[in-house]
Amino acid sequence: MTDQAVDPDGAELSAHPVPKDRFLGRGRELKELCADIGRAGLDTLSGRKAPRARVLLIAGRPGSGRTSLAEELVRRLAGRYPGGVLRARLGEPDGTPVPVERVARRLLEALELPAPAGAAEDDLAAALRAALVGRRTVLLLDDAAGAEQVDALLPEDPDCLVVAVSRGPLTGIADVRPCTLGGLDTKSAVDLLTGYAGGVRVTVDPRSAESLVEACQGHPGALVLAGGWLAARPKAAVSDLAKRLHATAAGDGTEGAEATPLSRVFRLVYDQLPAPVARMLRLLCLAPAGLADPHTASALAGCSVDAARATLDDLAVLGLLRAVDSPLPQYEVPGRLYPLLRALAESQERPAELQLARARMLERTVRLLQSCRAITETDSPQAREKLNGMPPALRFPNPRAAADWLRIRRPALLASARLAVADGELDTLARRLMSQLVRAMAAHVGTQAAAPDLYGVHGLVLDVAERRGLPREKAAALLNLGDLDAQTGRTREALARYRAALDAGREANDPYATGRAMESVGGAYQELGDHDRAADWFGRALAERLARDEAPEAARLYGRIATAHTYAGRYGEALRNWRAALAGYRRSGDVAASARALSEIARVQEYAGRPEDSLRTCQEAVEWARRAEDARLQAAVQLRLADTLDRLGDPAAARLHRAAAERMLGEERPEDDARPEHDANACEIRSTSSED
């Protein structure tokens, strides 16, 4: 395969740019749809105000131009809806309905509204409907598989508008009349061909152009492919293609009743592709989310990245792919062609070859994710060595480029993980992919911002762990899911996850997971206000740490036990445990933690009615905080000391300490506040692979 592919008919596939899309025809349909917005519905006729948004339905087979019509309608109506346009695709390339939870989450993100990780589908859909009230927004729902999807997302505001695109009627949604699409009128169809083939060939032989339109039955998808075929063959006459298609239609016994204008034109175009190009095209039905970039195509077809990029451009010229408006080269497999490509792949490739292509694609994705993460760790000699050992095509020039790639390819990367797990036969690769995806997101986005995506990935990890009987990875996934549940206020759900993680950790004989789960169970009980159980579970986790002689972790757990006792009002127990924590921190040389422990001891002493002891402890904490050279810590301890002095009746000294705290906070560098936080426990607990 060369950079410029040439087919047997002499077509120079790289020689012509893809023509700009422009909307043609459909004047009658547009007029009907616009009139339908103000049409009196059943509610209006009965004297009631419509409770929900008006739904306009555009129905037609894939390739009928239904999405183009919806976009043109929305473009013309945009000025009447100041709330803007929200778009969502409700179907996967293979026709699988997209879960409402995922659609609602993406729409809430587009509105810059919170969509908590792990939130239930009903809650997210309700939040979206509530957010659209009063916004006067257009919601374009493309490729709807059924009425249930659309109904769950309908804004509860009659001033909003929903434009739904579907294969057929959406039975179950009241007061909806479908605008069903057929072929384009002859003039518009000829104009569409002219945009690809150029005006000269059409002008000199208008009858052949009309004959070609007739052979395509005015079907826009078929016309685009016919136009692409002509665009790639500047010396071919329009009559040549028209005759071929009429001959194909006349002898269509092999395709039977299922033959369509689109399938006939596609087969003609496909059969004249060079063999390597045809193979890459049919394998693109494996591209996650129907999105292919040069790396995906290269891995699927087993060719170089440069050759894949040239071939993708060629296929876009022919109308077999659609270039995505993106800073990176990315192409979409048109939904109208997906069934045809899948049928070709299944008939012309052995199952083992298809599985090998999937494995190559997943392996390439894993390595790109490794490179994406490694570019952020250039201060690590090991990471630099690993990065330098990668082929140049897999390296990112800088962290910004890696972050952009991760953001742009995010839908395809998440779809890769879902498809790999659903496959069931590539679990090792799936586990590596999910591990690297979690790490790359944590490195570039941060665990808090990426929490909704991470929740889904950890759920997939749990699916694989349960299917393969991997208790250690099951425990890790449950701990991660529990952390995300806890962060979004679903404490009881988190508690159930942590208890299940404890069982899995014990089954795996993994002391780390077991101790971590015990501590997390304690934290959940503390959040629920059951401080006795919290102290008990922290004590169990402490026993695990002491048995393994993990002094720093034991000191931290003494502090958690002390906090639980403080909440319960058992100040004597709290002081004993804080002093044990302080002793542990001092033995390990952790000056900052020692200062914090002293500050907490002072707090408990104050609660216990011992203000003089609290003052002395606060003064000692101030000294340790100075030694730690931590401005925020020093300021916090100074403020604690000021509060204690106020209670002891020394407001002048209190003002001095507050002023000192304010100076310390004012001298902090602004970038300290902007630095992203990373919580290793929330991100990954020996997640799915030890591989870096």
Side-chain angles (χ1 to χ4, degrees), residues 229-409:
W229 188 92
L230 290 169
R233 296 165 177 80
K235 296 182 180 179
V238 176
S239 59
D240 294 338
L241 182 56
K243 290 176 183 176
R244 292 192 190 200
L245 287 177
H246 280 293
T248 301
D252 231 351
T254 57
E255 293 187 66
E258 292 302 316
T260 63
L262 177 64
S263 65
R264 285 192 287 268
V265 181
F266 170 77
R267 193 67 204 215
L268 184 147
V269 173
Y270 175 83
D271 286 343
Q272 295 183 15
L273 292 175
V277 177
R279 183 170 186 270
M280 179 182 291
L281 175 63
R282 61 178 178 262
L283 288 176
L284 288 179
C285 71
L286 303 177
L291 294 170
D293 67 349
H295 278 288
T296 301
S298 163
L300 285 171
C303 66
S304 72
V305 176
D306 288 340
R309 182 180 293 110
T311 301
L312 291 173
D313 287 338
D314 295 341
L315 294 171
V317 168
L318 290 170
L320 294 165
L321 295 179
R322 187 164 43 240
V324 177
D325 185 12
S326 165
L328 298 176
Q330 192 168 216
Y331 304 81
E332 184 179 8
V333 179
R336 62 182 178 269
L337 299 183
Y338 185 89
L340 301 172
L341 295 177
R342 182 172 59 184
L344 283 169
E346 291 174 351
S347 65
Q348 298 189 23
E349 304 281 345
R350 294 193 299 271
E353 291 173 336
L354 290 176
Q355 196 71 322
L356 180 59
R358 289 191 187 95
R360 285 196 306 264
M361 179 179 64
L362 291 177
E363 180 64 37
R364 177 70 60 85
T365 305
V366 168
R367 299 191 70 189
L368 283 166
L369 286 168
Q370 288 174 333
S371 176
C372 180
R373 177 175 61 92
I375 194 67
T376 67
E377 302 173 347
T378 51
D379 55 338
S380 165
Q382 294 84 358
R384 283 200 304 272
E385 182 179 353
K386 183 176 284 291
L387 193 60
N388 291 334
M390 290 183 175
L394 298 181
R395 294 186 215 158
F396 295 95
N398 51 60
R400 177 63 180 273
D404 288 344
W405 174 84
L406 185 65
R407 173 179 53 82
I408 292 167
R409 291 292 291 169

Side-chain angles (χ1 to χ4, degrees), residues 358-514:
R358 289 191 187 95
R360 285 196 306 264
M361 179 179 64
L362 291 177
E363 180 64 37
R364 177 70 60 85
T365 305
V366 168
R367 299 191 70 189
L368 283 166
L369 286 168
Q370 288 174 333
S371 176
C372 180
R373 177 175 61 92
I375 194 67
T376 67
E377 302 173 347
T378 51
D379 55 338
S380 165
Q382 294 84 358
R384 283 200 304 272
E385 182 179 353
K386 183 176 284 291
L387 193 60
N388 291 334
M390 290 183 175
L394 298 181
R395 294 186 215 158
F396 295 95
N398 51 60
R400 177 63 180 273
D404 288 344
W405 174 84
L406 185 65
R407 173 179 53 82
I408 292 167
R409 291 292 291 169
R410 170 191 169 210
L413 292 169
L414 294 170
S416 293
R418 291 192 294 267
L419 292 172
V421 173
D423 182 280
E425 297 181 4
L426 298 170
D427 281 347
T428 299
L429 270 172
R431 290 157 60 202
R432 292 176 58 215
L433 170 64
M434 291 185 289
S435 175
Q436 295 301 327
L437 183 55
V438 167
R439 295 177 182 186
M441 284 185 168
H444 286 282
V445 183
T447 55
Q448 294 299 322
D453 290 336
L454 294 178
Y455 196 93
V457 175
H458 291 315
L460 294 172
V461 173
L462 179 60
D463 291 342
V464 175
E466 290 179 334
R467 181 165 67 207
R468 292 292 180 179
L470 304 170
R472 178 172 295 180
E473 294 187 10
K474 180 179 178 180
L478 286 165
L479 287 170
N480 287 323
L481 289 168
D483 289 343
L484 291 170
D485 281 329
Q487 290 168 17
T488 50
R490 297 190 302 277
T491 308
R492 294 197 179 278
E493 290 86 345
L495 180 58
R497 299 273 198 194
Y498 292 142
R499 283 188 170 276
L502 178 58
D503 293 338
R506 285 170 172 165
E507 182 185 351
N509 195 26
D510 185 341
Y512 177 81
T514 302

Side-chain angles (χ1 to χ4, degrees), residues 55-61 66 144-150 164-174 176-181:
V55 179
L56 303 181
L57 174 59
I58 300 173
R61 300 183 70 172
R66 54 188 189 170
E148 299 81 7
Q149 286 179 299
V150 176
V165 176
S166 178
R167 181 182 288 268
L170 297 177
T171 306
I173 299 180
V176 178
R177 293 185 306 183
C179 174
T180 305
L181 299 187

